[in-house]
Amino acid sequence: MGRQTRSTPAWRLAAGAKQNGVRIFENQEVKDLWRTPEGLYQLQTDHGVIEAETLVLACGLWTRDLAARLGARVPLYAAEHFYVVTEPMDFIRPKLPVLRDTDAHVYLKEDAGKLLIGAFEPWGKPVAMERLPNTAFIELWEDWDHFELPMTKAIEIVPELANAGIAKFFNRPESFTPDLLFMIGEVPGLKNLFVSAGYNSEGIEYGAGAGRALAEWIVAKSPQMDISFVDVARFPPPFRSTSAICTIARRRCPACTIRCIGRVISRTSRGVRKSALHDRWTRLGASFGEGMGWEGPIWFAGEG
């Protein structure tokens, strides 16, 4: 999300939390965490041990590995996420609307008199956690070859971009989930262990509502609204393997076309759940897609 200043939404949320009695300890690396026989959670930091009755893992990319130390399998995988910012351009105005072309996998928006060109490209670049530096704010290497498709399409939409200078090529890792929806809720089998992660680069957009839903769940001991579609418990076992999630991160789709037909999990994760009608659909020429592990017909091919 970049370095935090007093003007960022994250800083303002933190300031509001402090006004309501929340204590925030910054720059403390979690070295290890475990669950005690009494059901409490303890975190070993470089500043000592913190103990909690309720633990929320809202750690972005690192949520999967931290959860694994407690025996929980949280299906997340990191992928490189790109955007570029141009030099100032004369025609850019502060209230320009965001322009998004889902067929071209590109979006454009005003950014302080400049134009920001971002992408949810059709074939993402997974990045293994061990390749990431152990820092809070990560910037990865440029990859103009990978960004060629969205940039080319952006120039078709705004021809002036062909002659624009590029002030910044930004590449950061983002964590992605099997169905491109975030996950919140209590981890099955681990009482008072909650997760809030997998926002697929849209954390600020969903953060306030997801935070409220999770807080109400923790206080009331059960969900106070129907959040089954983002419940961390919704994923069947095939979606929890690292290889399957890596494939998902590679073949991610634009956020507004989540259910596009081209999305696949992996060969090893297909055919796991079949309806009683599966064989009949097959005989009728069904071309199958997948939803939460279930095979279902997308369309039927006619004879020949």
Side-chain angles (χ1 to χ4, degrees):
M1 197 163 59
R3 296 191 180 278
Q4 301 305 311
T5 68
R6 291 178 181 268
S7 63
T8 61
W11 189 92
R12 292 196 293 270
L13 287 169
K18 289 179 179 179
Q19 291 175 2
N20 286 277
V22 173
R23 299 171 65 197
I24 297 177
F25 303 92
E26 299 185 74
N27 302 314
Q28 296 200 36
E29 181 182 355
V30 175
K31 301 288 189 179
D32 198 4
L33 72 163
W34 58 89
R35 190 166 185 250
T36 70
E38 296 77 26
L40 300 176
Y41 295 96
Q42 294 182 338
L43 293 81
Q44 177 68 56
T45 75
D46 49 4
H47 288 72
V49 175
I50 298 174
E51 185 175 83
E53 179 181 347
T54 299
L55 177 64
V56 179
L57 296 178
C59 311
L61 301 169
W62 295 272
T63 301
R64 186 193 72 198
D65 290 349
L66 289 171
R69 298 186 188 186
L70 296 169
R73 304 188 70 177
V74 176
L76 286 175
Y77 206 91
E80 297 181 34
H81 187 53
F82 305 88
Y83 68 79
V84 301
V85 180
T86 69
E87 299 287 354
M89 304 176 74
D90 292 339
F91 68 93
I92 302 299
R93 298 292 181 267
K95 293 186 178 181
L96 282 177
V98 175
L99 174 62
R100 185 163 192 174
D101 185 338
T102 55
D103 290 332
H105 312 288
V106 68
Y107 63 91
L108 302 96
K109 56 178 287 188
E110 183 272 339
D111 188 323
K114 307 167 186 178
L115 204 59
L116 183 151
I117 302 103
F120 283 91
E121 67 278 13
W123 194 259
K125 283 187 65 180
V127 55
M129 292 295 296
E130 56 267 22
R131 295 181 59 199
L132 298 177
N134 188 25
T135 58
F137 305 103
I138 300 173
E139 287 194 41
L140 300 176
W141 39 92
E142 296 182 1
D143 189 343
W144 281 103
D145 289 339
H146 192 78
F147 200 70
E148 181 181 5
L149 171 62
M151 192 66 191
T152 299
K153 296 297 184 180
I155 293 173
E156 291 179 8
I157 297 169
V158 182
E160 289 86 349
L161 284 173
N163 300 312
I166 301 298
K168 177 69 174 178
F169 186 113
F170 195 78
N171 178 10
R172 65 183 180 186
E174 295 279 2
S175 58
F176 288 84
T177 60
D179 56 5
L180 296 181
L181 293 173
F182 62 89
M183 61 182 80
I184 62 174
E186 190 172 24
V187 175
L190 287 168
K191 185 176 177 58
N192 294 329
L193 176 64
F194 291 83
V195 163
S196 176
Y199 286 89
N200 307 291
S201 82
E202 296 176 317
I204 291 298
E205 178 180 354
Y206 293 117
R212 177 173 179 171
L214 185 61
E216 290 176 347
W217 184 338
I218 292 172
V219 171
K221 306 298 183 183
S222 64
Q224 299 303 290
M225 63 181 74
D226 181 9
I227 58 169
S228 56
F229 63 104
V230 292
D231 192 330
V232 68
R234 70 188 183 272
F235 297 107
F239 290 86
R240 299 174 190 164
S241 71
T242 301
S243 61
I245 306 306
C246 178
T247 303
I248 293 157
R250 181 178 293 115
R251 190 67 180 272
R252 69 181 191 263
C253 299
C256 61
T257 54
I258 289 171
R259 310 202 187 282
C260 67
I261 294 172
R263 179 169 59 83
V264 296
I265 302 304
S266 71
R267 291 181 181 178
T268 58
S269 299
R270 294 300 300 272
V272 175
R273 290 177 161 182
K274 296 180 180 179
S275 161
L277 298 174
H278 187 86
D279 291 342
R280 292 176 62 184
W281 287 334
T282 301
R283 290 194 296 270
L284 292 171
S287 178
F288 290 95
E290 172 278 328
M292 295 307 296
W294 287 99
E295 297 291 324
I298 301 297
W299 68 80
F300 290 87
E303 190 69 29

